[in-house]
């Protein structure tokens, strides 16, 4: 287990995304404009018309994923995740008329009618994600270059 600790919260940002806007791209772009490097999702709700995601497919020692791209009417049960060093890492549960889906949200996921994303800035961290030998993106303290 790794532990990363800071003792402050920053700004609270609420994004209301409209039809056709891309969720991850909009979040990352807005946070970059605001100078926010690290944040977490306090709440994520809404509907999407294009769902792009991945999820694991095996129990092997190295992560093996399937990437899925679907068009249809989907409603989020929730979105959870972080933005670390400007890069979003979001997971979700979502439903359509055929059932419930869950996984790691990917770039290109587009809003159907509305999405509301509430983020809380996390100042005081110097973290980054790196791909490990297991093909998993894990958190590491940033090193000086």
């Amino acid at each position: 287990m790794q532990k990363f600790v800071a003792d402050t919260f920053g700004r609270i940002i609420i994004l209301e995304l409209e039809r056709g806007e891309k969720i991850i791209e909009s979040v990352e772009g807005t946070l970059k404009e605001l100078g926010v490097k690290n944040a977490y999702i306090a709440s994520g709700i809404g509907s999407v018309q294009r769902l792009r995601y991945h999820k694991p497919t095996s129990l092997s020692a190295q992560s093996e994923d399937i990437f899925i791209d679907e068009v249809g009417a989907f409603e989020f049960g929730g979105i959870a995740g972080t933005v670390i060093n400007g890069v979003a890492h979001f997971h979700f549960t979502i439903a359509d008329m055929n059932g419930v889906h869950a996984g790691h949200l990917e770039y290109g996921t587009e809003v159907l009618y509305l999405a509301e994303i509430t983020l809380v800035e996390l100042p005081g961290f110097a973290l980054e994600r790196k791909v490990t030998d297991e093909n998993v993106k894990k958190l590491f303290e940033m090193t000086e270059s």
Side-chain angles (χ1 to χ4, degrees), residues 28-44:
E28 288 181 352
T30 300
L31 293 182
K32 184 175 182 179
E33 288 173 15
L34 295 172
V36 175
K37 286 190 158 211
N38 302 304
Y40 78 92
I41 294 183
S43 175

Side-chain angles (χ1 to χ4, degrees), residues 127-143:
L127 301 173
E128 62 185 335
R129 289 191 191 281
K130 294 181 184 178
V131 178
T132 64
D133 292 340
E134 297 87 16
N135 196 31
V136 177
K137 293 179 183 174
K138 292 188 177 181
L139 294 175
F140 292 89
E141 293 279 350
M142 291 181 76
T143 56

Side-chain angles (χ1 to χ4, degrees), residues 13-24 26-27 30 41 43-50 74-79 90 94 105 109-119:
I13 301 127
I14 300 173
L15 302 179
E16 183 178 271
L17 304 178
E18 297 178 359
R19 187 181 197 105
E21 290 188 278
K22 293 180 176 151
I23 293 175
I24 294 175
S26 296
V27 168
T30 300
I41 294 183
S43 175
I45 59 171
S47 59
V48 299
Q49 62 186 346
R50 182 173 186 187
F74 299 91
E75 182 75 18
F76 280 115
I79 307 170
F90 297 163
I94 202 165
L105 204 62
T109 296
E110 294 179 8
V111 174
L112 175 55
Y113 298 113
L114 172 71
E116 293 177 8
I117 311 293
T118 302
L119 299 138

